[in-house]
Amino acid sequence: MPAGRPTHAPETMKKQTVAWDSIISALKKWHNELQKTGAENPSVTTIAERYKNDPWAVLVSTILSLRTKDEVTLKCSQTLLAKAPTPQKLLALEEAAIAKLAYPAGFYRTKAANLKKIAALLIDQHKGKVPADLDTLLSLPGVGRKTANLVLIEAYDLDGICVDVHVHRISNRTGWLSTRNPEETEMILRQILPRKHWKTINPLLVLYGQNVCRPVSPYCSRCVITKYCKQINVEKTR
């Protein structure tokens, strides 16, 4: 049983044949072509690259990214980290100052309050270090499974499956699985997705969901994995 598994997680799915290697290979090729146009990776991945996988930078960026567009997340993360590159530096700031630095990220005041609490907990209980453990990360204020998994992957290069709205939507649209929410999607992917693809599924599907497999009227004519997709609940395409 994965650490921190929700009690409402679905039962094990019957094993199905999904051409994962071919799917991931096609998505990686598409991703490489996209990068040639100057497109950046998802914001948290970009922060991880720019801050040399610093766990605090990754954690801050991931928290700011919730319900926030990538370009806003990137800007707010760099602004806040410039003033608070460590938990100690952030804890020294007033909550209002943290909120100002986090603006205009969605729910920036709530995120500022949580970051202040997290900084205090890291200093008091973890010697100022971000823990490399899923259950411990989940115990921090405002940290859910998406955030915890992304920290493990981007900061510590550990296996994890980060499921956001894009991963959840595409996994269900293609028919690889059938779930009600991202937590259930993560639990099923842990069962059916080969471990070697766990860390790459999020950045690939996030960019794919933003550029091709859009929530409404996806660009199916441009899709590189169309033969692996059942187009479930897709009413209009481009």
Side-chain angles (χ1 to χ4, degrees):
M1 177 182 295
R5 176 172 179 168
T7 57
H8 62 276
E11 297 298 322
T12 302
M13 291 184 67
K14 291 182 179 180
K15 192 171 183 62
Q16 60 174 313
T17 301
V18 179
W20 291 114
D21 288 349
S22 298
I23 292 168
I24 298 300
S25 177
L27 289 171
K28 284 182 176 179
K29 183 178 179 180
W30 170 86
H31 175 262
N32 291 337
E33 291 300 316
L34 182 69
Q35 286 195 311
K36 291 178 182 179
T37 68
E40 290 191 327
N41 284 319
S43 56
V44 176
T45 300
T46 300
I47 288 293
E49 293 170 349
R50 293 182 182 180
Y51 289 80
K52 300 180 179 179
N53 305 100
D54 175 63
W56 171 247
V58 173
L59 177 59
V60 168
S61 181
T62 306
I63 289 174
L64 292 178
S65 74
L66 301 174
R67 298 188 182 183
T68 304
K69 293 183 178 180
D70 268 1
E71 58 268 27
V72 176
T73 297
L74 190 59
K75 181 178 179 180
C76 293
S77 297
Q78 293 180 131
T79 300
L80 197 155
L81 289 167
K83 293 289 186 179
T86 65
Q88 292 84 354
K89 292 285 188 180
L90 185 135
L91 192 60
L93 298 174
E94 295 293 333
E95 189 175 309
I98 301 171
K100 185 175 181 179
L101 294 168
Y103 180 82
F107 303 96
Y108 64 95
R109 291 190 180 89
T110 299
K111 292 173 181 178
N114 285 334
L115 284 170
K116 183 99 171 177
K117 293 173 185 175
I118 288 172
L121 286 170
L122 294 182
I123 293 166
D124 292 343
Q125 300 179 15
H126 303 285
K127 299 180 180 180
K129 304 295 184 182
V130 176
D133 174 76
L134 183 60
D135 282 325
T136 307
L137 286 167
L138 289 171
S139 71
L140 300 175
V143 174
R145 296 193 67 87
K146 172 189 169 183
T147 297
N149 275 295
L150 204 50
V151 169
L152 294 179
I153 295 167
E154 296 288 2
Y156 293 109
D157 197 29
L158 296 174
D159 288 335
I161 298 179
C162 178
V163 177
D164 70 345
V165 293
H166 297 291
V167 177
H168 175 62
R169 180 181 70 256
I170 295 172
S171 296
N172 278 273
R173 175 177 282 171
T174 54
W176 302 336
L177 47 73
S178 178
T179 56
R180 297 168 295 179
N181 54 57
E183 287 188 351
E184 288 187 2
T185 297
E186 180 196 336
M187 293 306 138
I188 295 301
L189 284 175
R190 284 179 177 271
Q191 298 169 20
I192 67 174
L193 179 65
R195 200 176 188 94
K196 63 183 178 180
H197 298 314
W198 282 18
K199 288 184 285 189
T200 58
I201 194 73
N202 179 267
L204 289 174
L205 291 188
V206 167
L207 285 177
Y208 208 66
Q210 292 172 342
N211 292 276
V212 179
C213 198
R214 304 290 295 274
V216 179
S217 188
Y219 291 96
C220 293
S221 60
R222 304 178 188 173
C223 184
V224 300
I225 57 171
T226 185
K227 64 182 177 180
Y228 308 108
C229 178
K230 297 179 180 178
Q231 295 185 314
I232 293 174
N233 294 326
V234 175
E235 297 179 356
K236 182 181 179 181
T237 69
R238 285 178 278 184

